[in-house]
Amino acid sequence: MLAQSPVRTAVIILIAIIVVLLAALAAWTRLKAREIEALYPPTGEMIDVGGYKLHAVHVPRPVGADLPPLVFIHGASGNLLDQAVPFRPRFEGRAEMLFIDRPGHGWSERGGTANDTPDGQADAIAAAMKAKGISSAIIIGHSFGGAIAASFALAHPQMTAGLVFLAPATHSWPGGIAWYYGLTQTPLIGPLFANTLALPAGLSRLESGSACVFAPNPTPGDYISTTAPALVLRPGAFRNNAIDVANLKPYVTRIAPRYPEIKSPTVIITGDSDSVVLAHIHSEGLARDIEGSELVWIRNLGHKPDHVTTDLAVRAIEKVAGKDVDLKAAAATAEAALAADDASCQG
């Protein structure tokens, strides 16, 4: 029997090492994902939306409410806590609220392939609203949630009392997406990457990544612990998030020409220092496409008006609800508070 060549032996040993390493990473990922889930358990209820369930926090309409129902849609890599943390305390006693984990995010089930694009997710949110007896609401969408909010208004105009877009991603943009989104959404390599390397790599960048999303504004000290962004690093959620992001550009390229059909009262809040979405494409595009909408530009604001300029967002929601609000004055106050912010992004 002929002996194996040294090269072949080395290759076999290398392959064996890689297999063992991947198996170890997969086992570690499963354990770490369980730790993350134990740290951030569900905080709401599971709502059946037709064959699958969405996790949501529903705040019933209070006695003496002065605002219509409010429905909040989080962005990519997030969950309902990202909107509930800044907004729930501000609207307690004033409005019925629904904070939803988008399909396949947080604790929500993914549902079918219809939820791979914003229109399917908009339909899922509409179904959740109906299940809770909400016939119409102001829809608030941050970032990726902006594309869903716009799709919601197109598909369910009778359920859309108004729209507030916060740093929205709604139009086609030059260039592509981060390499790991493209890799993760592929059929074979994607699940392998999500189940082995994504979680340890993501945990190592959780703080720096959050800093880049907020920059030039500082990240709140308790942001990671209170909004649980680590939930997106679990293999299933990570892959769902990648599919969402990979499908966004072709989807908005197709759907954006329909935005002029939107007739709901609309306010768009955006920052001139947003490094995540190009405000002059997305926010200005919405202001151009939705007749009667109001665009509020904030100097030195990054991608998180929901957390950084919460007061301004509250005022925008009030204005969409029909209250007499001076958004220019509110914007000036917000800008003054941010003038000295110079937090850096090291991502």
Side-chain angles (χ1 to χ4, degrees):
M1 188 174 187
L2 295 177
Q4 292 183 349
S5 70
V7 173
R8 184 179 180 187
T9 299
V11 169
I12 292 173
I13 292 173
L14 178 61
I15 292 174
I17 291 172
I18 292 173
V19 169
V20 170
L21 178 60
L22 290 176
L25 284 170
W28 183 88
T29 292
R30 284 195 297 271
L31 290 173
K32 197 65 180 178
R34 290 173 187 166
E35 287 182 18
I36 292 170
E37 290 179 339
L39 190 59
Y40 305 109
T43 56
E45 60 185 293
M46 300 301 292
I47 302 175
D48 192 321
V49 292
Y52 64 100
K53 296 179 179 180
L54 294 185
H55 175 243
V57 169
H58 177 236
V59 181
R61 181 175 176 82
V63 176
D66 68 320
L67 294 170
L70 308 176
V71 174
F72 295 86
I73 308 175
H74 66 82
S77 304
N79 62 81
L80 66 81
L81 291 173
D82 199 36
Q83 302 298 291
V85 166
F87 289 117
R88 181 172 180 174
R90 300 301 305 273
F91 290 110
E92 289 277 9
R94 298 190 64 192
E96 180 176 12
M97 292 177 274
L98 189 64
F99 299 93
I100 299 179
D101 280 337
R102 295 196 288 105
H105 296 260
W107 288 96
S108 287
E109 297 171 354
R110 181 63 167 181
T113 56
N115 288 330
D116 289 351
T117 50
D119 51 354
Q121 296 193 27
D123 289 343
I125 291 169
M129 289 171 59
K130 292 175 183 177
K132 300 309 297 182
I134 302 173
S135 59
S136 178
I138 295 175
I139 311 298
I140 302 100
H142 170 249
S143 193
F144 189 102
I148 298 173
S151 295
F152 187 99
L154 289 170
H156 307 281
Q158 74 284 358
M159 298 181 71
T160 310
L163 295 164
V164 175
F165 293 96
L166 305 174
T170 51
H171 289 68
S172 181
W173 63 91
I177 57 176
W179 65 269
Y180 48 85
Y181 289 130
L183 176 68
T184 306
Q185 61 93 32
T186 58
L188 297 176
I189 300 298
L192 178 63
F193 179 74
N195 281 279
T196 56
L197 296 171
L199 199 152
L203 285 177
S204 71
R205 295 199 68 252
L206 207 53
E207 291 190 8
S208 62
S210 296
C212 288
V213 172
F214 273 87
N217 316 115
T219 307
D222 62 351
Y223 178 74
I224 290 175
S225 62
T226 58
T227 65
L231 283 172
V232 78
L233 299 176
R234 297 169 299 161
F238 192 83
R239 192 152 192 272
N240 292 332
N241 190 57
I243 291 171
D244 285 354
V245 174
N247 287 340
L248 182 61
K249 185 174 180 179
Y251 174 79
V252 294
T253 300
R254 171 170 59 86
I255 203 70
R258 292 190 55 202
Y259 290 161
E261 298 174 26
I262 296 174
K263 304 304 179 184
S264 304
T266 300
V267 171
I268 306 140
I269 297 177
T270 197
D272 71 351
S273 301
D274 189 339
S275 62
V276 178
V277 300
L278 300 173
H280 70 278
I281 291 177
H282 302 274
S283 294
E284 286 192 346
L286 279 176
R288 176 194 65 233
D289 295 342
I290 302 177
E291 185 178 358
S293 61
E294 182 172 357
L295 174 60
V296 182
W297 275 97
I298 303 298
R299 288 189 295 270
N300 210 38
L301 172 64
H303 190 57
K304 295 295 286 177
D306 45 354
H307 285 261
V308 176
T309 57
T310 310
D311 288 347
L312 175 62
V314 168
R315 299 296 279 167
I317 292 168
E318 291 173 339
K319 182 163 188 178
V320 167
K323 294 189 176 295
D324 184 14
V325 172
D326 186 346
L327 277 185
K328 289 184 178 179
T333 299
E335 285 188 343
L338 305 181
D341 284 2
D342 63 351
S344 62
C345 169
Q346 302 298 325

